[in-house]
Amino acid sequence: MAPISYHLILSGILFTIGVMGVLLRRNTIIIFMAIELMLNAVNLSFVALARHLGSMDGQLIVLFVMAVAAAEAAVGLAIILMVFRNKETINADELKLMRW
Amino acid sequence: MDLLTFFMLAVPLVLFAAVVILHPSPVYSAMSLVVVMSFLALYFFFLDAHMLGWFQIIVYAGSIMVLFLFVIMLLNLQNDPQEHQQPSLRTASRIGGAVLIAELVFLFSRSSSSEKAAAELPEGFGTVVALSEKLFTDFLIPFEITSILLLIAAVGAVVLAKR
Amino acid sequence: MEHAHATAQALSLSLSVSYLRYIPLFPLLGVLFNIFLGHRLGRKAVNIVSPGMVFLSFLVSLHAFWNLPEGGRLVDTMWLWISSGTLHVDFALQVDQLSAMMILVVTGVGFLIHVYSTGYMAHDHDVARYFAYLNLFTASMLLLVLGENLLLLFVGWEGVGLCSYLLIGFWYTDDEKASAGKKAFIVNRVGDAGFLLGLFLLFWTLGESNVWTLSFSTIQQHIAAVPAEVATVICLLLFVGAAGKSAQIPLYVWLPDAMAGPTPVSALIHAATMVTAGIYMIARLNFLYALSPTALSVVATVGAATAFFAATIGLVQTDIKKVLAYSTVSQLGYMFLALGVGAYTAGVFHLMTHAFFKALLFLGAGSVIHGMSDEQDITKMGGLKSKMPVTFWTFFIACLAIAGVPGLSGFFSKDLILEEAYASPLGSPMLWLVGTIGAGMTAFYMFRLLFVTFFGENRASHEVQHHIHESPASMTVPLAILAVLSIVGGYFPLLHFLSPLFGEHHEPHVAPLIKYLPTVVGLGGIALAYVMYVLNPAIADNMARGLSAFHKLLFNKYYIDEIYDAVIVRPIVGMSNWLWKVWDAIVIDGTVNGAAHTMEANGSLLRLWQNGNVQNYALSFLIGAMAILGYYLW
């Protein structure tokens, strides 16, 4: 039997890979995918803990996370479309509206 | 889940996840992500989350990834030869990532020392019946709210994309 | 409560009533009415309500007067005002003999002035504001004389100060008038500072012997706890306040300038309210002043000096209201002289008679000014006797009264003061002499004013002459009533009435020469004025030319205003300028702005971090999250 810490560490590794993707890539779609990766990493730890504790609550949380992720993907990708239409680019470092 | 299964699933997960963020082509990234999702679904099956495993495949690997690919196609994104983050940010990010993984591993391995044996699983754990029973009793209100959220997201996406 | 009860019994009979509160309340209602409804309901309503309110409080005052127990007092305790440790201050009004007289004068004369004002201000568009101020003035003064403790007296004290400012500067669009109001207020502040210091010292001194109180009766009961030398300091400080309010040397300068206000206001300030506050306060605290002969002699000396000094200025002024103003300063000097020699009764007596004839003089002057199309210079008047008969005759009676012609009110009170100044243990022949010369000058300048204004040829332009008219009944009727009061005021048995407070009055025994000389000097002054301004006007001009330097000195009021300006005002203005331009603008603003500039510089450095790159922000977020996680893992 793989101990619970193995699952959790795997989840941490996947999460960190997602973080690195968000920070290192300029393409907003890739960044978006990295965020999905982070969400999935967290899902993994939820499911592992639910199994470990013998409680269904963790699985239900994952269900809600999936629903939120679906909503986020729909809206987020729509925003990326809009940005591309207006700015002709989806590179994160070329979108500098959030400054003084 | 025995150790062999764990590593058979964990190694491809990490590798494909790395491909997602490292490959210059968005299409390759997306396809790698689909693989990651599928492996995760398998992972869920082994963790007795049968229903969630199917959801993982349908919702994530299916609909969400199709959405991604669709947008990539719409934008007609090519490999960007200049796809490099500024050096200072890159260095800082790498250090940050190293510290983060160190912290997380430290945290989780420390918690394993006081680990108790896994609890006994109740009858029908992770099945549709168990999941829906909880969903329509204890989690009814969050469930309804989620449905409203999805509706709003759908409308919002349509409005945004139409403009 | 038990303590207060014992106090009251120890002093005299003290009746608890609940109607005294209406005396100041009615005029206050008038204020509210004028402020909130005056403009809406129009001139007619204002003209009825404002004097009506004062009349109502006059009726209540009369009621209080009739119900005043023999040798006792009425007390109306409304609520516990301040309660702090052992200090309990009630919001309480009292009427004793002194207060009874004061409220009758304030409401009575005040009512006549209100009625007069309805005529005088008939063409002013802002009549509601005017009557709001006037009612507030009356209410403040009533609070001042009714207050059962020093704190309440102080409330009224400040109230009249405020109202004088508002009313003197009533026509605030005129710069000169606005600054006259400011002058009155600022000079009064100087006096008020002294008054407050005296009040604190008295409170503290009593507190050292564990008597924490502000109530007059309690103070009187424990007055023995005040050491004599401290009493002197307290009395002198309080006298500074009195000198400010009652226009004595050196703080009299505001009163002549106070003429900038509408003439009925001058009448109110000079006769019924405000300037009598200082006299009232010292008479009220007579038991305190009794402890300090030094302070009393200062009061007497300042009073006599003011009486003489102001009279000399009054000799040559040509503005009808200025003459009256200096005559008020001079007459107030007599009152202080009386207080200073311990003749409180005489001082208060003169306060009352003066209220009658000075109100009459000012209202008469107002009538003249009204008739002369707002002309105030007496050299441009003359011959008004036939054109304004009521004004003339009432004015004439007032002049007789102030000059001390036997039979009229001023004669009784002024003679009494001078006799007391001579015969009292605290008095001296010098004080008497100064007072007597002052009386002669008073008679002279008052009749000079009368003769120049009402006799001879009219020297005004044709345009003005054409418009000369007697004033309406609303103005002449108060004049007539005041004239009657000026005549009979001397026969009121005030001396006996006030005896529970100041002791039974004994007619001072003085030689006939001392007794009758002031009267003779007064009559002489009238005769001299008649000779110089009616029989042979050339004499006056010749004298003015012959003594031109002296005349100029007097005409310019001894250059006191200029001296104050150079010695006090300019240095203060200079210092204020320095404080403004150097200290405030450079040091303080520099510090504040410097702090702001430092912040801005730091901010613009930090701003570089905020470069708009979302991933930079995400990195900051990650670092923060890691720091927090690291902290808990530590």
Side-chain angles (χ1 to χ4, degrees):
Chain A
M1 285 292 282
I4 181 71
S5 56
Y6 279 36
H7 301 300
L8 293 179
I9 289 172
L10 174 62
S11 158
I13 291 170
L14 288 177
F15 185 83
T16 311
I17 291 173
V19 170
M20 296 313 288
V22 169
L23 289 176
L24 289 177
R25 298 298 295 263
R26 292 159 71 224
N27 188 327
T28 29
I29 290 189
I30 308 279
I31 291 174
F32 216 149
M33 288 187 208
I35 291 173
E36 296 293 342
L37 199 56
M38 288 159 74
L39 281 170
N40 274 296
V42 174
N43 281 355
L44 194 159
S45 58
F46 267 120
V47 171
L49 282 168
R51 168 74 178 74
H52 181 66
L53 299 172
S55 152
M56 285 299 288
D57 290 2
Q59 294 198 11
L60 280 154
I61 301 281
V62 171
L63 192 64
F64 291 126
V65 171
M66 282 182 186
V68 173
E72 177 221 351
V75 176
L77 288 170
I79 290 173
I80 289 176
L81 271 179
M82 285 298 296
V83 169
F84 186 77
R85 246 182 252 164
N86 285 318
K87 300 269 181 187
E88 297 284 314
T89 180
I90 52 166
N91 279 356
D93 57 353
E94 285 169 54
L95 306 170
K96 290 198 170 179
L97 284 173
M98 277 173 68
R99 66 191 295 187
W100 30 276
Chain B
M1 188 196 291
D2 53 29
L3 276 176
L4 184 63
T5 325
F6 171 77
F7 281 111
M8 280 178 65
L9 293 173
V11 173
L13 266 177
V14 173
L15 285 179
F16 279 100
V19 172
V20 170
I21 67 159
L22 292 178
H23 205 282
S25 163
V27 180
Y28 275 83
S29 291
M31 290 321 291
S32 302
L33 193 57
V34 173
V35 176
V36 171
M37 301 291 187
S38 308
F39 269 97
L40 260 180
L42 266 180
Y43 204 103
F44 287 178
F45 288 138
F46 280 100
L47 283 174
D48 295 308
H50 317 289
M51 193 61 208
L52 280 184
W54 289 116
F55 277 148
Q56 181 77 8
I57 291 172
I58 296 166
V59 176
Y60 263 123
S63 58
I64 292 181
M65 288 323 296
V66 168
L67 206 56
F68 270 96
L69 285 170
F70 208 72
V71 170
I72 293 168
M73 181 200 76
L74 261 183
L75 301 182
N76 194 20
L77 293 172
Q78 307 294 322
N79 290 5
D80 186 353
Q82 290 173 329
E83 166 67 80
H84 286 300
Q85 194 53 269
Q86 341 152 341
S88 61
L89 187 62
R90 208 159 49 181
T91 317
S93 303
R94 280 171 184 161
I95 296 170
V99 175
L100 180 66
I101 191 81
E103 278 183 346
L104 288 177
V105 168
F106 177 69
L107 175 71
F108 294 143
S109 51
R110 196 176 62 165
S111 66
S112 71
S113 59
S114 61
E115 192 178 330
K116 287 181 235 157
E120 278 300 307
L121 288 187
E123 190 71 22
F125 182 80
T127 55
V128 185
V129 176
L131 197 75
S132 44
E133 213 173 74
K134 272 264 177 191
L135 195 61
F136 293 117
T137 53
D138 295 354
F139 287 81
L140 183 60
I141 293 175
F143 175 67
E144 296 297 342
I145 293 174
T146 308
S147 66
I148 295 173
L149 174 76
L150 283 171
L151 177 64
I152 293 171
V155 173
V158 171
V159 169
L160 270 175
K162 251 183 89 178
R163 211 183 288 171
Chain C
M1 270 298 96
E2 219 169 298
H3 178 70
H5 187 64
T7 310
Q9 264 200 339
L11 270 182
S12 56
L13 184 57
S14 175
L15 274 186
S16 242
V17 293
S18 60
Y19 54 82
L20 294 186
R21 63 191 66 169
Y22 297 112
I23 299 175
L25 199 61
F26 279 127
L28 271 180
L29 287 177
V31 176
L32 293 179
F33 171 83
N34 281 315
I35 289 175
F36 293 110
L37 299 171
H39 274 292
R40 219 163 303 161
L41 298 184
R43 186 181 300 275
K44 251 193 188 131
V46 170
N47 281 351
I48 291 168
V49 171
S50 312
M53 286 299 173
V54 181
F55 188 68
L56 285 177
S57 75
F58 176 66
L59 292 181
V60 181
S61 306
L62 268 184
H63 183 71
F65 174 74
W66 293 123
N67 289 298
L68 191 61
E70 187 74 27
R73 60 187 190 133
L74 302 171
V75 180
D76 180 359
T77 306
M78 279 183 259
W79 65 81
L80 182 64
W81 191 11
I82 295 169
S83 178
S84 167
T86 50
L87 172 68
H88 296 284
V89 181
D90 283 326
F91 201 93
L93 305 177
Q94 71 162 0
V95 166
D96 60 359
Q97 288 71 22
L98 179 61
S99 294
M101 189 222 84
M102 290 298 294
I103 55 175
L104 285 178
V105 170
V106 172
T107 53
V109 177
F111 169 64
L112 293 175
I113 292 168
H114 275 75
V115 172
Y116 178 94
S117 294
T118 61
Y120 192 83
M121 301 300 280
H123 305 299
D124 199 283
H125 66 281
D126 219 357
V127 71
R129 184 165 64 92
Y130 172 82
F131 274 111
Y133 292 165
L134 216 57
N135 275 343
L136 187 61
F137 210 159
T138 314
S140 306
M141 191 64 197
L142 287 170
L143 202 59
L144 196 161
V145 296
L146 284 170
E148 200 272 331
N149 50 57
L150 273 167
L151 214 53
L152 213 48
L153 182 146
F154 186 68
V155 172
W157 188 272
E158 291 299 319
V160 293
L162 169 69
C163 295
S164 66
Y165 162 74
L166 294 172
L167 280 168
I168 293 166
F170 180 73
W171 287 311
Y172 55 85
T173 46
D174 185 335
D175 235 15
E176 200 181 320
K177 287 170 176 166
S179 53
K182 275 190 281 180
K183 185 172 176 182
F185 199 67
I186 290 165
V187 173
N188 265 298
R189 290 253 71 73
V190 177
D192 291 349
F195 180 82
L196 266 183
L197 289 177
L199 202 136
F200 293 155
L201 190 55
L202 175 62
F203 181 67
W204 203 249
T205 312
L206 283 172
E208 279 183 351
S209 46
N210 254 329
V211 184
W212 297 103
T213 184
L214 286 162
S215 153
F216 290 123
S217 51
T218 324
I219 292 174
Q220 184 166 12
Q221 209 181 25
H222 295 278
I223 197 66
V226 181
E229 57 271 28
V230 182
T232 305
V233 179
I234 295 172
C235 291
L236 288 177
L237 285 171
L238 291 178
F239 178 61
V240 172
K245 274 279 172 295
S246 294
Q248 294 299 292
I249 292 174
L251 298 177
Y252 71 90
V253 287
W254 66 271
L255 192 59
D257 284 28
M259 298 301 102
T263 310
V265 173
S266 308
L268 198 60
I269 289 177
H270 286 243
T273 63
M274 186 87 180
V275 296
T276 55
I279 315 282
Y280 167 79
M281 192 265 289
I282 290 181
R284 169 62 70 206
L285 295 173
N286 63 75
F287 49 86
L288 180 65
Y289 277 82
L291 294 180
S292 170
T294 324
L296 278 179
S297 73
V298 169
V299 173
T301 312
V302 170
T306 310
F308 180 83
F309 181 78
T312 57
I313 299 176
L315 290 177
V316 297
Q317 297 302 311
T318 55
D319 184 322
I320 184 168
K321 288 172 79 177
K322 281 260 157 75
V323 177
L324 294 177
Y326 281 104
S327 114
T328 302
V329 177
S330 172
Q331 296 301 312
L332 288 166
Y334 281 107
M335 295 177 212
F336 277 106
L337 172 59
L339 298 177
V341 299
Y344 301 105
T345 323
V348 175
F349 189 23
H350 195 56
L351 187 160
M352 185 190 74
T353 57
H354 175 256
F356 295 148
F357 57 68
K358 186 49 61 73
L360 177 51
L361 282 170
F362 264 109
L363 297 187
S367 179
V368 169
I369 293 165
H370 201 61
M372 291 289 296
S373 312
D374 292 332
E375 179 61 64
Q376 300 196 11
D377 192 342
I378 54 172
T379 58
K380 295 193 179 122
M381 297 178 183
L384 297 178
K385 186 174 137 193
S386 51
K387 286 170 180 156
M388 309 177 78
V390 181
T391 306
F392 167 70
W393 284 108
T394 52
F395 203 86
F396 179 61
I397 290 168
C399 285
L400 289 178
I402 193 173
V405 172
L408 282 85
S409 58
F411 164 75
F412 296 101
S413 53
K414 194 185 280 182
D415 254 28
L416 190 60
I417 288 175
L418 291 173
E419 285 164 29
E420 292 275 12
Y422 186 84
S424 152
L426 291 162
S428 73
M430 191 61 202
L431 294 176
W432 174 83
L433 185 66
V434 172
T436 305
I437 296 172
M441 289 195 287
T442 304
F444 175 79
Y445 67 67
M446 287 315 300
F447 274 86
R448 165 178 172 269
L449 184 65
L450 183 80
F451 293 142
V452 172
T453 309
F454 290 98
F455 287 73
E457 288 290 306
N458 193 300
R459 296 171 291 276
S461 65
H462 282 289
E463 182 67 20
V464 173
Q465 279 197 30
H466 186 68
H467 284 111
I468 296 176
H469 58 86
E470 182 58 282
S471 300
S474 60
M475 291 165 74
T476 51
V477 170
L479 289 180
I481 297 173
L482 282 169
V484 173
L485 286 171
S486 299
I487 296 170
V488 303
Y491 299 100
F492 293 162
L494 194 66
L495 301 178
H496 173 70
F497 181 66
L498 288 171
S499 61
L501 282 176
F502 305 128
E504 195 56 59
H505 174 71
H506 301 288
E507 197 59 34
H509 296 289
V510 289
L513 176 72
I514 303 298
K515 190 166 172 58
Y516 296 117
L517 194 62
T519 311
V520 175
V521 169
L523 293 174
I526 296 173
L528 187 64
Y530 186 70
V531 172
M532 280 174 67
Y533 291 99
V534 178
L535 292 184
N536 193 353
I539 299 178
D541 291 340
N542 286 338
M543 265 183 77
R545 228 169 290 127
L547 299 166
S548 68
F550 190 57
H551 184 264
K552 213 174 150 195
L553 182 66
L554 289 184
F555 190 77
N556 289 305
K557 310 151 208 163
Y558 296 102
Y559 297 99
I560 291 290
D561 278 331
E562 285 76 6
I563 292 171
Y564 279 6
D565 191 51
V567 176
I568 298 172
V569 176
R570 263 170 216 284
I572 288 180
V573 168
M575 208 165 77
S576 306
N577 264 332
W578 182 82
L579 283 175
W580 161 38
K581 285 178 181 152
V582 178
W583 183 252
D584 199 62
I586 295 180
V587 179
I588 293 182
D589 285 6
T591 312
V592 175
N593 290 342
H597 286 315
T598 315
M599 286 298 142
E600 197 187 339
N602 290 341
S604 52
L605 269 179
L606 286 174
R607 192 170 72 166
L608 296 177
W609 192 13
Q610 204 168 22
N611 57 4
N613 189 339
V614 186
Q615 284 166 307
N616 249 327
Y617 301 164
L619 179 61
S620 307
F621 180 51
L622 174 66
I623 291 169
M626 280 177 351
I628 294 171
L629 184 59
Y631 175 79
Y632 283 107
L633 288 177
W634 197 255

